[in-house]
Amino acid sequence: MNDDNTGKFQGQYRIASARLAGYDYGANGMYFITICTKERQHFFGEINTNADQQCALTPTIIGQRAIDGWLTIPQYAPFARLDAFQVMPNHLHGIVWICKSDYTDTDWQPNRFGVQRQNLPAIVQGFKAGVTAFARKNDIEFGWLSRYYDRIIRNDDELNRIRHYIENNPANWHQDHNNPDGMFM
C-alpha cells in the first residue's frame, strides 16, 4: 500500500512489481522463469561442445550448486513440480508447475507486496537464498540480479515452445542477448 499518491511505500520510493497485477502466483499452473546473476557475470560455468557436437554447460562449483538447488525445490515446496530446466553461464531458465491438490478458485489471493509463502515468489526466494548461502559458506564470489522474469504458461502450444527454447538454449548461446561475447541477431 502506498502512503499516499506519491508512489512511496513506508516513506520510500520503490520499484513497481514485475509480477502480473491481480494474479495469484500461488494458483495452480505452470510458470516459466528466468533468473539472472548479478551484472550478468558468468558465475555458473561456460558453454562447451562435447564429442557428439552437443552444447552444454560445464558448471563451476556454484553452477553445480544452482543445479542441485533447483532439483531440491520440491523438497521445501512439496506443492511444486519441476519441468524443463537449463543453467547457462549467467542465468537459468526453468518451468515450475504449482500443483496444490486442495486449491480452489475461492482461494485466489492476488499478488501483493510482503511476506510470500506457498507461491512462485517464495519458491524463487528459497532457491536463490540456498545458492547464496552456499556461496557465502564456501567464500565464493556470487550474486543474483535482484529481480527475476516470469511468464504464466497459458496452453500446451506455449508450454511446448518454451520447453524447446529451454532445451536448445546452450546451442543458441552464441546469439543469446545475455552473452556479452555473442553475435546478436
Side-chain angles (χ1 to χ4, degrees):
M1 296 281 183
N2 290 343
D3 290 341
D4 51 30
N5 290 330
T6 64
K8 292 184 177 182
F9 176 77
Q10 296 181 348
Q12 297 182 347
Y13 288 103
R14 74 177 204 54
I15 299 170
S17 174
R19 309 289 69 85
L20 179 61
Y23 192 81
D24 181 357
Y25 281 87
N28 288 339
M30 296 187 92
Y31 304 86
F32 170 43
I33 61 173
T34 300
I35 309 172
C36 298
T37 61
K38 183 179 180 183
E39 298 176 1
R40 307 283 198 290
Q41 293 182 57
H42 289 202
F43 289 125
F44 294 143
E46 295 300 325
I47 299 295
N48 294 302
T49 305
N50 64 23
D52 297 328
Q53 298 302 308
Q54 299 291 320
C55 294
L57 181 82
T58 303
T60 60
I61 293 169
I62 199 72
Q64 187 61 53
R65 177 61 184 102
I67 293 166
D68 296 342
W70 183 266
L71 297 174
T72 64
I73 287 173
Q75 292 176 20
Y76 70 85
F79 57 90
R81 308 285 181 270
L82 303 178
D83 199 277
F85 165 68
Q86 189 69 251
V87 175
M88 299 295 288
N90 58 8
H91 67 283
L92 63 91
H93 298 294
I95 297 174
V96 176
W97 178 24
I98 294 181
C99 185
K100 298 175 184 172
S101 60
D102 59 345
Y103 188 89
T104 67
D105 290 341
T106 60
D107 295 327
W108 190 268
Q109 295 291 320
N111 187 47
R112 60 181 170 257
F113 182 74
V115 176
Q116 303 293 318
R117 68 187 253 323
Q118 292 197 341
N119 61 12
L120 186 64
I123 292 168
V124 173
Q125 287 171 357
F127 167 74
K128 290 171 74 171
V131 177
T132 300
F134 176 86
R136 288 181 181 154
K137 179 180 176 185
N138 292 284
D139 199 29
I140 299 171
E141 179 186 356
F142 178 72
W144 292 108
L145 195 64
S146 61
R147 293 180 149 208
Y148 65 95
Y149 307 95
D150 72 79
R151 174 150 182 88
I152 302 158
I153 301 173
R154 292 171 172 86
N155 58 51
D156 287 341
D157 289 338
E158 186 174 11
L159 173 61
N160 290 328
R161 281 192 307 274
I162 292 168
R163 282 176 176 154
H164 179 78
Y165 172 80
I166 291 171
E167 291 164 5
N168 290 297
N169 209 227
N172 296 319
W173 178 239
H174 67 283
Q175 57 191 6
D176 192 304
H177 70 276
N178 287 308
N179 181 356
D181 301 321
M183 305 177 328
F184 311 111
M185 298 180 101

